[in-house]
């Protein structure tokens, strides 16, 4: 197949990229009318494979995160609740749903806990491979669920895979930088590390009568973490030029001042122009410029997904940014793939800005940037961390030779046709319009039986009604810190299943199974801060 990309100018050396994808992710469905559609990750993967990027990176299916791994950050009771509740028994957990903010914007749907396990597993294993120098960049587009709290779901997020990935990085790295370019504030990650200097959080987001209502300029962290939380509140309609004019100087100063040994970049695409829930005016290239700039610092980099509710634009941007991670720019003409008709009428890999007005004046951007620059000067250089032995886990010995049991896998082993048939796409599942639910179109897709349409609804049957408030009185953990607020996965060759379009040029050896997990079940030592301790509550809360 002819190449469908051009090398990125100025790339000094090729990066080793690990890309995580689980073919099951496209079968989950939040419910009819809900803006979050996991199918977008499968659409992105289809573009990645048909552009031939599998030739330039290793592709893995991560082991789903276990309950024990999730409780490194989340409370035992909350994770136990997520693992037990289903659409069929949710009527027995009314009190718990209210307590954990599950329902409405975070509905109970079929396979919800499996979905969370896949998301968290990819981020944790990506972090583990970075720490052990098995790759330079790890990509998990199923991750990036930055709103989830210790004991509460929020903003379509149930389990915070980012916090779990950072905790894995902290086992090996003294300082980790988290950068968030989602249109919403990364409140869950900021809150988790609000009192430590081991992690610096930096979020560029819309602020002002907008979910989650946190992320004010004055939120800088407390105690040992003071000045290690950075928030850049933005207004509607910011353009590529203005975004670049603040993103690059701030991140450059953060790199010089904090000197992180690893970086996590949340690439939420609801900051793109035309997003259903967003209000920014970034083009695909303007968004991708952030990836290119962060990559230029040559730090171990974990790239995760996040928001993004216009699916054709989400998949375009993440495919393009996957190419940048491998050192190439994808050509504009979209190759044939199973979702080809969805990219009409232009069939081009581009998201163009609109003519919406930019409410961010130059004076406002300069003033905020100067305040953040002053806050960074208060740090006084990168914080030091006392050296200690990295705790050895039994799984570490397995990871050092991840292919030890490779010869034990039958080379001609095939998955039964019954399993492949159960993953077929249901008609209408790709609805990306506001009229879903009209004219009798109801998508009650089950991730186990994707071909069935159940009249009584295997999904939650709930309509999305926007963000709901948090009831502080019903949650064990406090919220809004700051002034404003077990089994091994069988080998799966994802690039050669019947889910992929026929005739697609896929190297059968390109996809590997990450059977041996490199993740630790031990929480990281954050200089005396217990991971499950929530910072003192402030006046503001998510709304």
């Amino acid at each position: 197949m002819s190449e469908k990309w051009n090398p990125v100018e100025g790339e000094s050396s090729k990066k080793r990229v690990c890309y995580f994808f689980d073919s099951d992710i496209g079968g989950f469905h939040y419910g009819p009318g809900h803006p979050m559609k996991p199918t977008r990750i499968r659409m992105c993967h289809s573009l990645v494979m048909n552009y031939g990027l599998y030739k330039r990176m290793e592709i893995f299916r991560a082991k789903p995160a276990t309950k024990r791994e999730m409780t490194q950050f989340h409370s035992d009771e909350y994770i136990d609740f997520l693992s037990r509740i289903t659409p069929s028994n949710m009527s027995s957990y009314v009190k718990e749903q209210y307590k954990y903010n599950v329902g409405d914007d975070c509905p109970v749907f079929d396979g919800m806990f499996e979905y969370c396990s896949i998301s968290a597993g990819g981020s944790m294993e990506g972090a583990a491979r970075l720490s052990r120098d098995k790759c330079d960049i790890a990509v998990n587009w199923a991750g990036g669920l930055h709103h989830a709290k210790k004991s509460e779901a929020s903003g379509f997020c149930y389990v915070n895979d980012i916090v779990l990935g950072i905790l894995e990085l902290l086992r090996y790295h003294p300082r980790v930088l988290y950068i968030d370019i989602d249109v919403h504030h990364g409140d869950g990650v900021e809150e988790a590390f609000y009192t430590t200097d081991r992690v610096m959080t930096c979020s560029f987001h819309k602020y002002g009568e907008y979910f989650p209502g946190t992320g004010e300029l004055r939120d800088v962290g407390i105690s040992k973490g003071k000045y290690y939380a950075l928030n850049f509140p933005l207004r509607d309609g910011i353009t590529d030029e203005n975004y670049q004019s603040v993103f690059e100087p701030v991140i450059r100063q953060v790199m010089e001042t904090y000197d992180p040994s690893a970086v996590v970049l949340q690439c939420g695409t609801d900051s793109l122009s035309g997003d259903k829930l967003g209000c920014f005016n970034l083009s695909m290239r303007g968004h991708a410029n952030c990836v290119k700039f962060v990559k230029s610092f040559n730090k171990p980099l974990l790239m995760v997904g996040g928001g993004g509710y216009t699916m054709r634009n989400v998949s375009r941007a993440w495919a393009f940014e996957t190419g940048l991670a491998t050192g190439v720019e994808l050509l504009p003409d979209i190759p044939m793939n199973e979702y080809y008709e969805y990219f009409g009428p232009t069939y081009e890999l581009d998201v163009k800005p609109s003519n919406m007005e930019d409410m961010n004046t130059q004076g406002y951007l300069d003033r905020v940037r100067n305040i953040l620059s002053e806050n960074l000067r208060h740090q006084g250089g990168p914080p030091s961390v006392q050296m200690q032995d990295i705790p050895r886990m039994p799984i570490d010995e397995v990871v050092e030779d991840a292919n030890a049991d490779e010869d034990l896998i039958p080379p001609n082993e095939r998955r039964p046709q019954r399993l492949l048939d159960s993953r077929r796409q249901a008609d209408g599942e790709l609805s990306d319009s506001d009229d879903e639910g009209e004219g009798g179109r109801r998508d009650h897709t089950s991730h186990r039986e994707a071909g069935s349409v159940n009249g009584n609804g295997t999904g939650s049957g709930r309509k999305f009604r926007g963000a709901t408030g948090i009831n502080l009185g019903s949650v064990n953990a406090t919220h809004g810190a700051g002034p404003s607020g077990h089994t091994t996965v069988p080998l799966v060759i994802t690039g050669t299943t019947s889910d992929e379009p026929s005739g697609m040029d896929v190297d059968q050896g390109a996809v590997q199974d990450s059977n041996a997990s490199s993740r630790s079940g031990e929480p990281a030592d954050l200089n005396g801060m217990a991971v499950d301790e929530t910072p003192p509550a402030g006046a503001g809360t998510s709304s």
Side-chain angles (χ1 to χ4, degrees), residues 29-32 34 87 90 104 106-110 444 456-463:
H29 193 266
Y30 274 61
H34 199 289
M90 58 186 292
D104 294 325
C106 297
V108 178
F109 59 89
D110 194 22
H444 295 291
N456 58 14
T458 56
S460 70
R462 293 170 175 260
K463 281 284 187 181

Side-chain angles (χ1 to χ4, degrees), residues 227-248:
Y227 300 118
Y228 291 95
L230 219 61
N231 288 297
F232 202 118
L234 295 164
R235 298 170 179 168
D236 290 4
I238 191 166
T239 61
D240 292 351
E241 295 74 22
N242 278 344
Y243 202 94
Q244 183 177 359
S245 72
V246 295
F247 182 84
E248 293 190 0

Side-chain angles (χ1 to χ4, degrees), residues 324-531:
L324 290 181
T326 67
V328 297
E329 280 195 12
L330 302 183
L331 296 180
D333 292 333
I334 290 179
M336 287 300 299
N337 64 87
E338 59 186 312
Y339 302 102
Y340 185 73
E341 292 78 9
Y342 214 62
F343 299 101
T346 62
Y347 302 100
E348 290 185 355
L349 190 74
D350 196 14
V351 180
K352 294 181 171 61
S354 68
N355 60 352
M356 72 182 298
E357 182 181 1
D358 187 354
M359 306 301 290
N360 299 270
T361 64
Q362 196 60 50
Y364 170 75
L365 295 176
D366 290 342
R367 181 173 65 86
V368 175
R369 189 174 60 198
N370 291 335
I371 293 173
L372 294 182
S373 180
E374 186 62 30
N375 289 344
L376 286 169
R377 279 194 283 271
H378 279 97
Q379 290 185 7
S384 60
V385 179
Q386 184 178 359
M387 295 184 64
Q388 60 183 20
D389 291 335
I390 298 171
R392 289 285 296 177
M393 301 292 293
I395 196 66
D396 290 330
E397 299 177 5
V398 180
V399 173
E400 289 168 2
D401 188 6
N403 297 321
D405 58 350
E406 194 175 54
D407 295 337
L408 302 179
I409 302 173
N412 297 322
E413 182 177 316
R414 297 180 61 186
R415 290 180 291 172
Q417 188 64 36
R418 174 182 53 78
L419 176 61
L420 299 179
D421 289 342
S422 70
R423 294 177 177 172
R424 296 179 67 86
Q425 200 93 13
D427 292 338
E429 184 177 336
L430 285 182
S431 175
D432 192 24
S433 59
D434 293 326
D435 63 346
E436 182 176 7
E438 297 180 3
R441 295 195 302 112
R442 287 290 206 187
D443 189 352
H444 295 291
T445 303
S446 163
H447 78 284
R448 294 192 181 92
E449 297 177 302
S452 68
V453 179
N454 190 343
N456 58 14
T458 56
S460 70
R462 293 170 175 260
K463 281 284 187 181
F464 171 71
R465 284 178 264 171
T468 58
I470 296 173
N471 186 334
L472 289 175
S474 64
V475 184
N476 291 332
T478 53
H479 303 275
S484 73
H486 308 1
T487 55
T488 303
V489 178
L491 182 139
V492 176
I493 307 299
T494 59
T496 59
T497 70
S498 62
D499 290 337
E500 304 295 347
S502 59
M504 182 176 70
D505 183 8
V506 176
D507 181 1
Q508 300 223 3
V511 185
Q512 303 181 29
D513 176 56
S514 57
N515 191 8
S517 168
S518 52
R519 307 196 295 263
S520 161
E522 295 296 322
D525 177 16
L526 301 183
N527 287 343
M529 186 196 82
V531 173

